[in-house]
Amino acid sequence: MPEHSNAPPIDTTRPHAARMYDYYLGGKTHYEADVRAAEAVVSVLPEIVAAARANRDFMARVTRTLAADHGVDQFLDIGSGIPTEPNLHQIAQSVLPGARVVYTDNDPIVLQYAHALLRSTPEGRTAYLHADVTDPVSILGAAELGDTLDLRRPVALSVNALLHFVPDDRDPHGIVAALLQPLAPGSFLCLSHGIADLPDDGTSDRADDVIGIYQRGGTAFVPRSREQVARFFDGLDLLDPGVTMAHLWRPDGDPAQRLPREALTLHAGVARKP
């Protein structure tokens, strides 16, 4: 692992959501505390593994769609997580080689691996910013962002599988509004979020157990209903099929390999800023 100057210390004694997510995806960048917590979650809610993969695939489809169909060549990926190929910039630059991407995350281990997020095409550019979504001013005012993205042109704001870690008292809807405010018309919000509206077949009780596991590890986990998630898109123009399950947002590939329609993954949607 390369050393990174000014990197904050990594607390290996407490689980971190980004490293648990890496575990769900079958990655190797996590510590014993992350494994214990992630395995506890999987034992209670095994569907979370498929949901994590569905979220990753959603990101890939959205990025290709925005680059290919809408010509978006600038992306701000907040809560980027531990690098997992293909990363967002690899997908965007495979369509538009000159695409520019700024990644942000608050996990020091992501900072340590940021070199994997900076392997841009010669025509494009990527940057990494160690920052927290609950401080949008620090993100929007960062030199790394200003040097990489031109906010006078459309930007795709990607906030995937992140805001369910932001409790209500931190005003997640206000955070998204603040991040969107300086973006040019024609920008997009791409968002996925843990689901609270669950069937009354024991799934809700199991989800409550998962919330407890995260909370005991020091991380708030606040799933929200479809209606609550739809509020993030207020004032924006949703692309078809609107707010839906992540695996149902414009699925592609072999239909036989897709999750069933009734699977529970994450609420997800993409919308354009007028």
Side-chain angles (χ1 to χ4, degrees):
M1 180 187 303
E3 291 300 322
H4 208 294
S5 61
N6 301 318
I10 297 171
D11 183 354
T12 63
T13 66
R14 296 171 71 87
H16 191 284
R19 302 192 295 262
M20 292 172 66
Y21 183 67
D22 178 72
Y23 179 89
Y24 303 145
L25 290 174
K28 300 184 184 303
T29 310
H30 40 252
Y31 297 96
E32 184 178 350
D34 307 306
V35 173
R36 285 199 305 268
E39 287 183 343
V41 169
V42 172
S43 70
V44 172
L45 197 70
E47 300 96 320
I48 201 164
V49 174
R53 175 49 59 190
N55 180 67
R56 191 77 189 171
D57 293 343
F58 166 74
M59 179 279 292
R61 294 195 304 277
V62 169
T63 302
R64 282 194 297 269
T65 296
L66 295 185
D69 297 351
H70 298 272
V72 177
D73 62 358
Q74 300 191 108
F75 295 81
L76 173 56
D77 184 21
I78 299 182
S80 54
I82 293 160
T84 304
E85 292 197 357
N87 291 294
L88 189 151
H89 73 278
Q90 294 169 314
I91 299 166
Q93 292 176 350
S94 72
V95 180
L96 298 173
R100 293 180 164 222
V101 179
V102 172
Y103 294 102
T104 82
D105 205 285
N106 72 343
D107 182 1
I109 202 171
V110 181
L111 177 61
Q112 295 279 28
Y113 280 92
H115 68 288
L117 298 174
L118 303 177
R119 295 174 182 158
S120 173
T121 58
E123 305 94 325
R125 184 168 179 179
T126 65
Y128 178 79
L129 171 63
H130 188 77
D132 195 298
V133 68
T134 60
D135 186 5
V137 172
S138 71
I139 295 174
L140 295 168
E144 293 90 339
L145 188 145
D147 291 344
T148 308
L149 304 181
D150 180 358
L151 300 189
R152 297 169 298 180
R153 298 176 51 246
V155 174
L157 171 64
S158 177
V159 194
N160 289 325
L162 174 65
L163 292 169
H164 46 240
F165 298 121
V166 179
D168 291 338
D169 62 8
R170 301 304 296 269
D171 189 16
H173 292 91
I175 288 169
V176 171
L179 290 167
L180 284 169
Q181 192 277 327
L183 303 188
S187 294
F188 288 85
L189 172 62
C190 321
L191 185 147
S192 61
H193 195 292
I195 58 179
D197 28 14
L198 297 167
D200 188 18
D201 60 358
T203 305
S204 182
D205 289 340
R206 292 189 292 124
D208 287 343
D209 291 341
V210 169
I211 291 170
I213 293 168
Y214 275 95
Q215 289 178 337
R216 287 191 293 276
T219 298
F221 186 42
V222 188
R224 294 185 171 94
S225 68
R226 183 185 182 280
E227 180 180 11
Q228 290 172 312
V229 172
R231 281 183 51 212
F232 288 111
F233 299 101
D234 283 354
L236 307 178
D237 299 326
L238 278 162
L239 301 188
D240 290 335
V243 179
T244 185
M245 288 285 135
H247 66 292
L248 299 179
W249 196 93
R250 303 190 182 187
D252 58 13
D254 182 357
Q257 301 299 316
R258 297 175 191 166
L259 290 171
R261 286 193 62 84
E262 66 273 14
L264 300 173
T265 52
L266 296 93
H267 291 306
V270 181
R272 182 181 182 275
K273 181 178 178 178

